Amino acid sequence: MNVASRLPNPPAAALAERPSKTARDSVKPPFLGFGLGLRAQHYDEILNGNPPIDWFEVISENYMLPGGRPLRTLDRICERYPVVMHGVSLSIASTAPPNFEYLQGLKDLARRVEPKWISDHLCWTGVHGKNLHDLLPIPYTQEALDHVISRVQLVQEFLGRAIVLENVSTYIQFNNSEMTEWEFLSELSRRSGCWLLFDINNVYVSAFNHGYDAMTFLNGIPADRVVQFHMAGHSHMGTHIIDTHDHPVCEDVWDLYVAAIKRFGRVSTMIERDDNIPPLDELLLEVNRTREIAERVLPPAGKRAG
Ligand SMILES: [Fe+2]
């Protein structure tokens, strides 16, 4: 019998107000530097060349099958580089019962990888056991907030650690939303204790698609809750932008990155490329650019801006 099917959804309002020991004990994850999303195309180059990348983000689901080359390769990369786990199937906002088999898989992988943190997205990905493999948006209502907080608390208690949640790119908005996305994320982080992964490209994409100012979003997120930046490319269709991750980071998003590090400070940053994947050297140029900009914009570690 599926474990998840025996467990009802937690009562949202009750759990949402329950203080979480895991969240209270959570220490802010460390600054890792400037990293890259690990992709199979680069396994050999990384293992043979030890490129100057500070850390890697791995897609959790790619390594949740026992054995095989991906897991063996990941073991070797973990010996050399700090790693964080980034999932796409947590479906934290879903109203379906929590998938404890998936959560156990995440926990087992984390035991092996010892990631600096585990992240996923503020979204839902399916219902009735179906994974639609898309990061679907939610209405920003008080009811949804209570529900997601209860789910985050449940996941954090199961994993024994605070998780990190990312803002997704969106293409629709809900008429019944009662708050902005940045207000929702801020409250979610404050009340559940989860940390935030601030995807700068996603903010740019959503701001364009919905006609608001990306800086309003950026300034609405509490600086002390952000532990990671994503930088990625997109496809501009003229009337709207699609978050394809198949292009280099565009100049507007680099400008937003400058504004983000001015507001959030030293935050672990990585280049996220998922399609049309170029040789490693090409992505290294983008990783180096994140480092160069941060070093130019921020005072040296240990010194305060005058
Ligand atoms: Fe992202």
Side-chain angles (χ1 to χ4, degrees), residues 64 99-109 111 158:
M64 286 169 69
N99 184 342
F100 283 93
E101 288 175 18
Y102 174 80
L103 289 174
Q104 188 60 53
L106 265 188
K107 196 170 183 174
D108 292 344
L109 182 64
R111 197 171 291 132
F158 187 89

Side-chain angles (χ1 to χ4, degrees), residues 86 121 166 197 199 202 230 245 272:
H86 184 56
H121 305 80
E166 173 182 355
L197 193 175
D199 187 309
N202 288 356
H230 270 172
H245 292 195
E272 191 180 35

